Coordinates of all heavy atoms in Angstrom, one line a residue:
Q208 N -64.0 262.5 -6.2 CA -63.4 263.8 -6.5 C -62.9 263.8 -7.9 O -63.1 264.7 -8.7 CB -62.4 264.1 -5.5 CG -61.7 265.5 -5.7 CD -60.6 265.7 -4.7 OE1 -60.4 264.9 -3.8 NE2 -60.0 266.9 -4.8
A209 N -62.2 262.7 -8.3 CA -61.6 262.7 -9.6 C -62.7 262.6 -10.7 O -62.6 263.2 -11.8 CB -60.6 261.5 -9.7
K210 N -63.7 261.7 -10.4 CA -64.8 261.5 -11.5 C -65.6 262.8 -11.7 O -66.0 263.1 -12.8 CB -65.6 260.3 -11.0 CG -65.0 259.0 -11.2 CD -65.9 257.8 -10.9 CE -65.2 256.5 -11.1 NZ -66.2 255.4 -10.9
D211 N -66.0 263.5 -10.6 CA -66.8 264.7 -10.8 C -66.1 265.7 -11.6 O -66.7 266.4 -12.5 CB -67.1 265.3 -9.4 CG -68.1 264.4 -8.6 OD1 -68.7 263.5 -9.2 OD2 -68.1 264.5 -7.3
E212 N -64.8 265.9 -11.4 CA -64.1 266.9 -12.2 C -64.1 266.5 -13.6 O -64.2 267.3 -14.5 CB -62.7 267.0 -11.6 CG -62.6 267.7 -10.2 CD -61.2 267.7 -9.7 OE1 -60.3 267.2 -10.4 OE2 -61.0 268.3 -8.6
E213 N -63.9 265.1 -13.8 CA -63.8 264.7 -15.2 C -65.2 264.8 -15.9 O -65.2 265.3 -17.1 CB -63.4 263.2 -15.2 CG -63.2 262.7 -16.6 CD -62.7 261.2 -16.6 OE1 -62.5 260.7 -15.5 OE2 -62.5 260.6 -17.7
E214 N -66.3 264.5 -15.3 CA -67.6 264.6 -15.9 C -68.0 266.1 -16.2 O -68.5 266.4 -17.3 CB -68.6 264.0 -15.0 CG -68.5 262.5 -14.9 CD -69.5 261.9 -13.9 OE1 -70.2 262.6 -13.3 OE2 -69.5 260.6 -13.8
D215 N -67.7 267.0 -15.2 CA -68.0 268.4 -15.5 C -67.2 268.9 -16.6 O -67.7 269.7 -17.5 CB -67.6 269.2 -14.2 CG -68.6 268.9 -13.1 OD1 -69.6 268.3 -13.3 OD2 -68.2 269.1 -11.9
M216 N -66.0 268.5 -16.8 CA -65.1 269.0 -17.9 C -65.7 268.5 -19.2 O -65.8 269.2 -20.2 CB -63.7 268.6 -17.7 CG -62.7 269.1 -18.7 SD -62.7 270.9 -18.7 CE -61.9 271.2 -17.2
E217 N -66.1 267.2 -19.3 CA -66.7 266.7 -20.5 C -68.0 267.3 -20.9 O -68.2 267.6 -22.1 CB -66.9 265.1 -20.4 CG -65.6 264.4 -20.3 CD -65.8 262.9 -20.1 OE1 -67.0 262.5 -20.0 OE2 -64.8 262.1 -20.1
A218 N -68.9 267.6 -19.9 CA -70.2 268.2 -20.3 C -69.9 269.6 -20.8 O -70.6 270.1 -21.7 CB -71.1 268.2 -19.0
L219 N -69.0 270.3 -20.1 CA -68.7 271.7 -20.5 C -68.2 271.7 -21.9 O -68.6 272.6 -22.7 CB -67.7 272.3 -19.5 CG -67.4 273.8 -19.8 CD1 -68.6 274.7 -19.8 CD2 -66.3 274.3 -18.8
L220 N -67.3 270.8 -22.3 CA -66.8 270.8 -23.6 C -67.8 270.4 -24.6 O -67.7 270.8 -25.8 CB -65.5 269.8 -23.6 CG -64.3 270.2 -22.8 CD1 -63.2 269.1 -22.8 CD2 -63.7 271.5 -23.3
D221 N -68.8 269.5 -24.3 CA -69.8 269.1 -25.2 C -70.8 270.2 -25.5 O -71.3 270.3 -26.7 CB -70.5 267.9 -24.7 CG -69.6 266.6 -24.7 OD1 -68.6 266.6 -25.4 OD2 -69.9 265.7 -23.9
T222 N -71.1 271.0 -24.6 CA -72.1 272.0 -24.8 C -71.6 273.3 -25.5 O -72.3 274.2 -25.9 CB -72.7 272.5 -23.4 OG1 -71.7 272.9 -22.6 CG2 -73.4 271.3 -22.8
Y223 N -70.3 273.4 -25.5 CA -69.8 274.6 -26.1 C -68.7 274.2 -27.1 O -67.6 273.7 -26.7 CB -69.2 275.5 -25.0 CG -68.8 276.9 -25.6 CD1 -69.7 277.9 -25.8 CD2 -67.4 277.1 -25.8 CE1 -69.3 279.1 -26.3 CE2 -67.1 278.4 -26.3 CZ -68.0 279.4 -26.5 OH -67.6 280.6 -27.0
V224 N -68.9 274.4 -28.4 CA -68.0 274.1 -29.4 C -67.5 275.4 -30.0 O -68.3 276.3 -30.4 CB -68.6 273.2 -30.5 CG1 -67.6 272.9 -31.6 CG2 -69.2 272.0 -29.9
M225 N -66.2 275.5 -30.1 CA -65.6 276.8 -30.6 C -64.3 276.4 -31.3 O -63.8 275.3 -31.1 CB -65.4 277.8 -29.5 CG -64.5 277.4 -28.4 SD -64.4 278.6 -27.0 CE -66.1 278.5 -26.5
G226 N -63.8 277.4 -31.9 CA -62.5 277.2 -32.6 C -61.4 277.2 -31.7 O -61.4 277.5 -30.5
I227 N -60.2 276.9 -32.4 CA -59.0 276.7 -31.6 C -58.5 278.0 -31.1 O -58.0 278.2 -30.0 CB -58.0 276.0 -32.4 CG1 -58.5 274.6 -32.7 CG2 -56.6 275.9 -31.7 CD1 -57.5 273.8 -33.6
G228 N -58.7 279.1 -31.8 CA -58.2 280.4 -31.5 C -59.0 281.2 -30.6 O -58.7 282.4 -30.3
E229 N -60.2 280.7 -30.1 CA -61.1 281.5 -29.2 C -60.9 281.2 -27.8 O -61.8 280.8 -27.0 CB -62.5 281.2 -29.7 CG -62.8 281.6 -31.1 CD -64.2 281.3 -31.5 OE1 -64.9 280.7 -30.7 OE2 -64.6 281.6 -32.6
A230 N -59.7 281.2 -27.3 CA -59.4 280.8 -25.9 C -59.9 281.8 -24.9 O -60.5 281.5 -23.8 CB -57.9 280.6 -25.7
D231 N -59.9 283.1 -25.3 CA -60.3 284.1 -24.3 C -61.8 284.0 -24.2 O -62.4 284.2 -23.1 CB -60.0 285.5 -24.9 CG -58.4 285.7 -24.9 OD1 -57.8 285.0 -24.1 OD2 -57.9 286.5 -25.6
A232 N -62.5 283.8 -25.3 CA -64.0 283.7 -25.2 C -64.4 282.5 -24.4 O -65.3 282.5 -23.6 CB -64.6 283.6 -26.6
F233 N -63.6 281.4 -24.6 CA -63.9 280.2 -23.8 C -63.7 280.4 -22.3 O -64.5 279.9 -21.5 CB -63.0 279.0 -24.3 CG -63.2 277.8 -23.6 CD1 -64.4 277.0 -23.8 CD2 -62.3 277.3 -22.7 CE1 -64.6 275.9 -23.1 CE2 -62.5 276.1 -22.1 CZ -63.6 275.4 -22.2
S234 N -62.7 281.1 -22.0 CA -62.4 281.4 -20.6 C -63.5 282.3 -20.0 O -63.9 282.0 -18.8 CB -61.1 282.1 -20.5 OG -60.8 282.5 -19.1
E235 N -64.0 283.2 -20.7 CA -65.1 284.1 -20.2 C -66.4 283.3 -20.1 O -67.1 283.4 -19.1 CB -65.3 285.2 -21.2 CG -66.3 286.3 -20.8 CD -65.9 287.0 -19.5 OE1 -64.6 287.1 -19.3 OE2 -66.7 287.5 -18.7
R236 N -66.6 282.4 -21.0 CA -67.8 281.5 -20.9 C -67.7 280.7 -19.6 O -68.7 280.5 -18.9 CB -67.9 280.6 -22.1 CG -69.0 279.6 -22.1 CD -70.4 280.3 -22.2 NE -71.4 279.3 -22.1 CZ -71.9 278.7 -23.2 NH1 -71.4 279.0 -24.4 NH2 -72.9 277.8 -23.1
L237 N -66.6 280.1 -19.3 CA -66.4 279.3 -18.1 C -66.7 280.1 -16.8 O -67.3 279.6 -15.9 CB -65.0 278.7 -18.0 CG -64.6 277.6 -19.0 CD1 -63.2 277.2 -18.9 CD2 -65.6 276.4 -18.8
K238 N -66.2 281.3 -16.8 CA -66.5 282.2 -15.6 C -68.0 282.4 -15.4 O -68.5 282.3 -14.3 CB -65.8 283.5 -15.7 CG -64.3 283.4 -15.6 CD -63.6 284.8 -15.8 CE -62.1 284.7 -15.7 NZ -61.4 286.0 -15.9
Q239 N -68.7 282.7 -16.5 CA -70.1 282.9 -16.4 C -70.9 281.6 -15.9 O -71.7 281.7 -15.1 CB -70.7 283.3 -17.8 CG -70.2 284.7 -18.2 CD -70.7 285.1 -19.6 OE1 -71.4 284.3 -20.3 NE2 -70.3 286.2 -20.1
E240 N -70.4 280.5 -16.4 CA -71.1 279.3 -16.0 C -70.8 279.0 -14.6 O -71.7 278.5 -13.8 CB -70.5 278.1 -16.9 CG -71.0 278.1 -18.3 CD -72.5 277.9 -18.5 OE1 -73.0 277.2 -17.5 OE2 -73.0 278.3 -19.5
L241 N -69.6 279.3 -14.1 CA -69.3 279.1 -12.7 C -70.1 279.9 -11.8 O -70.6 279.5 -10.7 CB -67.8 279.4 -12.5 CG -67.3 279.2 -11.1 CD1 -67.5 277.8 -10.6 CD2 -65.8 279.6 -11.0
V242 N -70.3 281.2 -12.2 CA -71.2 282.1 -11.3 C -72.6 281.6 -11.3 O -73.2 281.5 -10.2 CB -71.1 283.5 -11.9 CG1 -72.1 284.4 -11.2 CG2 -69.7 284.1 -11.7
A243 N -73.1 281.1 -12.4 CA -74.5 280.6 -12.5 C -74.6 279.3 -11.6 O -75.6 279.1 -10.9 CB -74.9 280.3 -13.9
L244 N -73.6 278.5 -11.7 CA -73.6 277.3 -10.9 C -73.6 277.5 -9.4 O -74.4 276.9 -8.6 CB -72.4 276.4 -11.3 CG -72.3 275.0 -10.6 CD1 -73.6 274.2 -10.9 CD2 -71.1 274.3 -11.0
E245 N -72.8 278.5 -9.0 CA -72.8 278.8 -7.6 C -74.1 279.4 -7.1 O -74.6 279.1 -6.0 CB -71.7 279.8 -7.3 CG -70.3 279.2 -7.5 CD -69.2 280.2 -7.2 OE1 -69.5 281.4 -7.1 OE2 -68.0 279.8 -7.2
A246 N -74.8 280.2 -7.9 CA -76.1 280.8 -7.6 C -77.1 279.7 -7.4 O -77.9 279.7 -6.5 CB -76.5 281.8 -8.6
A247 N -77.1 278.7 -8.3 CA -78.0 277.6 -8.3 C -77.8 276.8 -7.0 O -78.8 276.3 -6.4 CB -77.9 276.7 -9.5
N248 N -76.6 276.5 -6.6 CA -76.3 275.8 -5.4 C -76.8 276.5 -4.2 O -77.4 275.8 -3.2 CB -74.8 275.5 -5.3 CG -74.3 274.5 -6.3 OD1 -75.1 273.7 -6.8 ND2 -73.0 274.6 -6.7
V249 N -76.7 277.8 -4.1 CA -77.1 278.6 -3.0 C -78.6 278.5 -2.9 O -79.2 278.3 -1.8 CB -76.6 280.0 -3.0 CG1 -77.3 280.9 -1.9 CG2 -75.1 280.0 -2.9
Y250 N -79.4 278.6 -4.0 CA -80.8 278.6 -4.0 C -81.3 277.2 -3.6 O -82.3 277.1 -2.8 CB -81.3 278.9 -5.4 CG -82.8 278.9 -5.6 CD1 -83.6 279.9 -5.1 CD2 -83.4 277.8 -6.2 CE1 -85.0 279.8 -5.2 CE2 -84.8 277.7 -6.3 CZ -85.6 278.7 -5.8 OH -87.0 278.7 -5.9
Q251 N -80.6 276.2 -4.0 CA -81.1 274.8 -3.7 C -80.9 274.6 -2.2 O -81.8 273.9 -1.5 CB -80.2 273.8 -4.4 CG -80.7 272.4 -4.2 CD -82.0 272.1 -4.9 OE1 -82.4 272.8 -5.8 NE2 -82.8 271.2 -4.3
L252 N -79.9 275.1 -1.6 CA -79.7 274.9 -0.1 C -80.8 275.7 0.6 O -81.3 275.2 1.7 CB -78.3 275.5 0.3 CG -77.1 274.6 -0.2 CD1 -75.8 275.3 0.2 CD2 -77.1 273.3 0.5
L253 N -81.2 276.8 0.2 CA -82.2 277.6 0.9 C -83.6 276.9 0.8 O -84.3 276.9 1.8 CB -82.3 279.0 0.3 CG -81.1 279.9 0.5 CD1 -81.3 281.2 -0.2 CD2 -80.9 280.2 2.0
E254 N -83.9 276.2 -0.3 CA -85.2 275.5 -0.4 C -85.3 274.3 0.4 O -86.3 273.9 0.9 CB -85.4 275.2 -1.9 CG -85.8 276.3 -2.8 CD -86.1 275.9 -4.2 OE1 -85.8 274.7 -4.5 OE2 -86.6 276.7 -5.0
S255 N -84.1 273.6 0.7 CA -84.2 272.3 1.4 C -84.0 272.4 2.9 O -83.9 271.4 3.6 CB -83.0 271.4 0.9 OG -81.8 272.0 1.1
E256 N -84.0 273.6 3.5 CA -83.8 273.8 4.9 C -84.9 273.2 5.7 O -84.6 272.6 6.7 CB -83.6 275.3 5.2 CG -83.4 275.6 6.7 CD -83.2 277.1 6.9 OE1 -83.3 277.9 5.9 OE2 -82.9 277.5 8.1
P257 N -86.3 273.4 5.4 CA -87.3 272.8 6.3 C -87.2 271.3 6.3 O -87.5 270.6 7.3 CB -88.6 273.2 5.6 CG -88.2 274.5 4.8 CD -86.8 274.3 4.4
L258 N -86.9 270.7 5.2 CA -86.8 269.2 5.2 C -85.7 268.7 6.1 O -85.8 267.7 6.8 CB -86.6 268.7 3.7 CG -87.7 269.0 2.7 CD1 -87.3 268.6 1.3 CD2 -89.0 268.3 3.2
I259 N -84.6 269.5 6.0 CA -83.4 269.1 6.9 C -83.8 269.2 8.3 O -83.4 268.3 9.1 CB -82.2 270.0 6.5 CG1 -81.8 269.7 5.1 CG2 -81.1 269.7 7.5 CD1 -80.7 270.6 4.6
E260 N -84.5 270.3 8.7 CA -84.9 270.4 10.1 C -85.8 269.3 10.6 O -85.7 268.8 11.7 CB -85.6 271.8 10.3 CG -84.6 273.0 10.2 CD -85.4 274.3 10.3 OE1 -86.6 274.2 10.5 OE2 -84.7 275.3 10.3
E261 N -86.7 268.8 9.7 CA -87.7 267.8 10.1 C -86.9 266.5 10.3 O -87.1 265.7 11.2 CB -88.7 267.6 9.0 CG -89.8 266.5 9.3 CD -90.8 266.5 8.3 OE1 -90.8 267.3 7.3 OE2 -91.7 265.6 8.3
V262 N -85.9 266.2 9.4 CA -85.1 265.0 9.5 C -84.3 265.0 10.8 O -84.2 264.0 11.5 CB -84.2 264.8 8.3 CG1 -83.2 263.7 8.5 CG2 -85.0 264.6 7.1
L263 N -83.8 266.2 11.1 CA -82.9 266.3 12.3 C -83.8 266.0 13.6 O -83.3 265.4 14.6 CB -82.3 267.7 12.4 CG -81.2 267.9 11.4 CD1 -80.7 269.4 11.5 CD2 -80.0 267.0 11.6
Q264 N -85.0 266.5 13.6 CA -85.9 266.2 14.8 C -86.2 264.8 14.9 O -86.2 264.2 16.0 CB -87.2 267.0 14.6 CG -87.0 268.5 14.7 CD -88.4 269.3 14.5 OE1 -89.4 268.7 14.2 NE2 -88.3 270.6 14.6
G265 N -86.5 264.1 13.8 CA -86.7 262.6 13.8 C -85.5 261.9 14.4 O -85.6 260.9 15.1
L266 N -84.3 262.4 13.9 CA -83.1 261.7 14.4 C -82.9 261.9 15.9 O -82.5 261.0 16.6 CB -81.9 262.3 13.6 CG -81.8 261.9 12.2 CD1 -80.6 262.6 11.5 CD2 -81.6 260.4 12.0
D267 N -83.3 263.1 16.4 CA -83.1 263.3 17.9 C -84.0 262.4 18.6 O -83.7 261.8 19.7 CB -83.4 264.8 18.2 CG -82.3 265.7 17.6 OD1 -81.2 265.2 17.4 OD2 -82.6 266.9 17.4
T268 N -85.3 262.2 18.2 CA -86.3 261.4 18.8 C -85.8 259.9 18.9 O -85.8 259.2 19.9 CB -87.6 261.4 18.2 OG1 -88.1 262.8 18.1 CG2 -88.7 260.6 18.9
A269 N -85.3 259.5 17.7 CA -84.8 258.1 17.6 C -83.6 257.9 18.5 O -83.4 256.8 19.2 CB -84.4 257.7 16.2
S270 N -82.7 258.9 18.6 CA -81.5 258.8 19.4 C -81.9 258.7 20.9 O -81.3 257.9 21.7 CB -80.7 260.0 19.2 OG -79.5 260.0 20.1
A271 N -83.0 259.4 21.3 CA -83.4 259.3 22.7 C -83.9 258.0 23.1 O -83.7 257.4 24.1 CB -84.4 260.4 23.0
A272 N -84.7 257.4 22.1 CA -85.3 256.0 22.3 C -84.2 255.0 22.4 O -84.2 254.1 23.2 CB -86.2 255.7 21.2
V273 N -83.2 255.2 21.6 CA -82.1 254.2 21.6 C -81.3 254.3 22.9 O -80.9 253.3 23.5 CB -81.1 254.5 20.4 CG1 -79.8 253.7 20.5 CG2 -81.8 254.1 19.1
D274 N -81.1 255.5 23.4 CA -80.4 255.7 24.7 C -81.2 255.0 25.8 O -80.6 254.4 26.7 CB -80.2 257.2 25.0 CG -79.2 257.8 24.0 OD1 -78.4 257.1 23.4 OD2 -79.2 259.1 23.9
D275 N -82.5 255.2 25.8 CA -83.3 254.5 26.8 C -83.2 253.0 26.8 O -83.0 252.3 27.8 CB -84.8 254.9 26.7 CG -85.0 256.4 27.0 OD1 -84.1 257.0 27.7 OD2 -86.0 257.0 26.5
M276 N -83.3 252.5 25.6 CA -83.2 251.0 25.4 C -81.8 250.6 25.8 O -81.7 249.5 26.5 CB -83.4 250.7 23.9 CG -83.3 249.2 23.6 SD -84.6 248.2 24.5 CE -86.1 248.8 23.7
D277 N -80.8 251.3 25.5 CA -79.4 250.9 25.9 C -79.3 250.9 27.4 O -78.7 250.0 28.0 CB -78.4 251.9 25.3 CG -77.0 251.6 25.7 OD1 -76.5 250.5 25.3 OD2 -76.3 252.4 26.4
E278 N -80.0 251.9 28.1 CA -79.9 251.9 29.6 C -80.6 250.7 30.2 O -80.1 250.0 31.1 CB -80.5 253.2 30.1 CG -80.4 253.4 31.6 CD -79.0 253.6 32.0 OE1 -78.2 254.1 31.2 OE2 -78.7 253.3 33.2
W279 N -81.8 250.3 29.6 CA -82.5 249.1 30.1 C -81.6 247.8 29.9 O -81.5 247.0 30.8 CB -83.8 249.0 29.4 CG -84.9 249.8 30.0 CD1 -85.4 251.0 29.5 CD2 -85.6 249.6 31.2 NE1 -86.3 251.5 30.3 CE2 -86.5 250.6 31.4 CE3 -85.5 248.6 32.2 CZ2 -87.3 250.7 32.6 CZ3 -86.4 248.7 33.3 CH2 -87.2 249.7 33.5
L280 N -81.0 247.7 28.8 CA -80.2 246.5 28.5 C -79.0 246.5 29.4 O -78.6 245.4 29.8 CB -79.7 246.6 27.0 CG -80.8 246.4 25.9 CD1 -80.2 246.6 24.6 CD2 -81.4 245.0 26.1

Side-chain angles (χ1 to χ4, degrees):
Q208 181 181 358
K210 286 185 177 181
D211 291 343
E212 292 178 357
E213 184 179 357
E214 290 176 356
D215 293 342
M216 184 61 68
E217 289 180 355
L219 181 61
L220 293 176
D221 289 340
T222 56
Y223 188 80
V224 180
M225 61 185 62
I227 296 176
E229 299 177 356
D231 295 337
F233 178 70
S234 176
E235 187 65 24
R236 176 70 180 270
L237 288 178
K238 290 179 181 179
Q239 294 177 1
E240 291 291 337
L241 179 59
V242 171
L244 181 61
E245 291 178 352
N248 289 336
V249 171
Y250 178 77
Q251 187 67 25
L252 290 175
L253 292 176
E254 286 184 348
S255 60
E256 182 179 0
L258 296 177
I259 293 173
E260 291 180 354
E261 184 177 354
V262 171
L263 291 175
Q264 292 177 358
L266 290 175
D267 292 338
T268 304
S270 175
V273 169
D274 291 340
D275 294 340
M276 181 62 66
D277 181 64
E278 185 66 24
W279 280 104
L280 290 176

